[in-house]
Amino acid sequence: MKIAPRLVAWQRKHGRHGLPWQNTRDPYRVWLSEIMLQQTQVAAVLDYYQRFLSKFPTVKALAQAPADQVMAQWAGLGYYARARNLHACAKQVMGTWQGKFPPDAAGLATLPGIGPSTAAAIAAFCYGERAAILDGNVKRVLARLFAIEGDPTSRPIELQLWSQARDLVPSARTCAQDPDAMSAYTQGLMDLGATVCTRSRPQCQVCPFKKDCLAFQQGRCDELPWPRARKVLPERSTAMLIAHQAGHILLMQRPTTGIWGGLWSLPECDYELEPTMACQQLGLAAKKTEALAEFLHVFTHYRLNIRPHLVHVEQSDRTRAEKADLLPKGGEWVSIKTLHERGLPAPVRKLLDGLIAAQVLA
Ligand code: SF4
């Protein structure tokens, strides 16, 4: 099956053209959008992308920024390893590549956080390289077009999909005649997966490939691709302390590796531990503690049950802790007015915003 010429023509007529990271060959902008779009919907990325670019307009500005500022701009987008890799990648581009992104997919794939599909997308968009992409949407499209059975995230099926993806890219001759063919083709695959060959209820009637698509012909569009083998997520529990006093909240910076790495979060303690005991461990004498409603946050690998405790702290206690350097490592009393400058995990931000809106914290 040959899809490239039709896909290029379809993209030019029916695809997306007005996204802020399109119509540029600047690898910095394209790279940033590709990283943000990994496992995140376009609608969620739009604001973040613009804000991130206005804060860090060049790869140099990003490389020179403190990690804290980068995390603050990323906070809420999730999958924080992406932000840490983004920062590491910018530093590597400045240090090893003299401020210029590598000129091909193979070089791009050596940078932190850039996998083969992302490298190919950047190379196709910026350099017109004939490199195949294979993200989640493309896997779905190919699994349907060729009626490929099996879990598309499993290694053998993934290899089969990669091989199909490579066979389908526009020919060298096409690319020589039409230098924008690779860009339109790559964008076309993304657009087809996002707008026509969607996960549920694909719009086969308007699909340019309905005559060739094996899943459509066999009436198996709902069945393909096979769903990923489901794992039951383990559940963990933790308690968080919202220690506050006179417009300040005690935050702790998390270690750079692991969940919410490098972000600012609330002090945590054992789920069962009495909050007054937890306060003592932090060097705080609580005036009063109050249990708030528990809630669940779902990560890709586990579910976290969070039990928040509101802790009213004596002023003298806060000042004493600050002066005597009694705060645990990474702890800081942060003014509620400057909370927006800190990178907070999304559920913590939501919890604190709710308490601020209800004037429980002021
Ligand atoms: Fe997807 Fe339907 Fe097009 Fe096949 S015909 S590629 S299932 S939209």
Side-chain angles (χ1 to χ4, degrees), residues 106-241:
L108 288 161
T110 64
L111 294 171
I114 302 188
S117 184
T118 303
I122 301 167
F125 287 133
C126 301
Y127 316 134
E129 185 177 331
R130 293 177 57 244
I133 61 162
L134 190 68
D135 62 13
N137 278 354
V138 179
K139 282 182 181 172
R140 180 171 64 250
V141 172
L142 298 187
R144 285 173 174 165
L145 278 176
F146 297 97
I148 294 173
E149 298 182 343
D151 177 354
T153 60
S154 71
R155 194 67 189 140
I157 304 299
E158 204 173 35
L159 288 176
Q160 198 180 338
L161 291 166
W162 267 117
S163 158
Q164 289 288 8
R166 285 193 200 100
D167 284 351
L168 293 174
V169 295
S171 66
R173 204 165 134 206
T174 302
C175 293
Q177 287 165 353
D178 177 358
D180 291 331
M182 259 324 286
S183 172
Y185 170 81
T186 304
Q187 187 65 52
L189 268 182
M190 293 175 174
D191 293 351
L192 192 76
T195 64
V196 177
C197 194
T198 45
R199 194 181 306 269
S200 56
R201 287 196 234 134
Q203 310 289 305
C204 301
Q205 290 310 327
V206 298
C207 177
F209 304 112
K210 68 178 178 191
K211 288 209 175 76
D212 316 80
C213 175
L214 293 181
F216 182 65
Q217 284 172 14
Q218 297 168 6
R220 299 169 68 203
C221 302
D222 292 340
E223 182 195 315
L224 292 167
W226 282 18
R228 186 186 196 147
R230 275 200 176 273
K231 278 189 283 175
V232 179
L233 292 182
E235 193 163 319
R236 297 182 195 164
S237 296
T238 188
M240 288 187 176
L241 301 179

Side-chain angles (χ1 to χ4, degrees), residues 40-103:
T40 311
Q41 301 279 329
V42 166
V45 166
L46 287 170
D47 278 357
Y48 277 92
Y49 180 77
Q50 303 285 28
R51 256 185 283 134
F52 206 94
L53 266 187
S54 51
K55 186 90 183 163
F56 313 114
T58 59
V59 67
K60 186 177 177 190
L62 176 57
Q64 289 176 343
D68 235 18
Q69 272 184 26
V70 178
M71 297 311 287
Q73 290 301 314
W74 196 273
L77 260 185
Y79 301 98
Y80 295 97
R82 290 185 297 173
R84 291 194 293 274
N85 279 331
L86 199 79
H87 200 203
C89 180
K91 288 180 178 173
Q92 205 159 311
V93 168
M94 292 310 297
T96 313
W97 295 88
Q98 291 78 46
K100 284 202 165 62
F101 278 81

Side-chain angles (χ1 to χ4, degrees), residues 302-329:
Y302 66 93
R303 293 147 62 88
L304 184 65
N305 187 33
I306 300 172
R307 173 183 274 180
H309 295 285
L310 198 58
V311 178
H312 308 271
V313 175
E314 296 278 4
Q315 177 168 16
S316 56
D317 200 39
R318 192 190 104 212
T319 345
R320 184 178 64 86
E322 277 172 348
K323 281 195 183 135
D325 202 16
L326 287 174
L327 284 179
K329 197 164 176 277

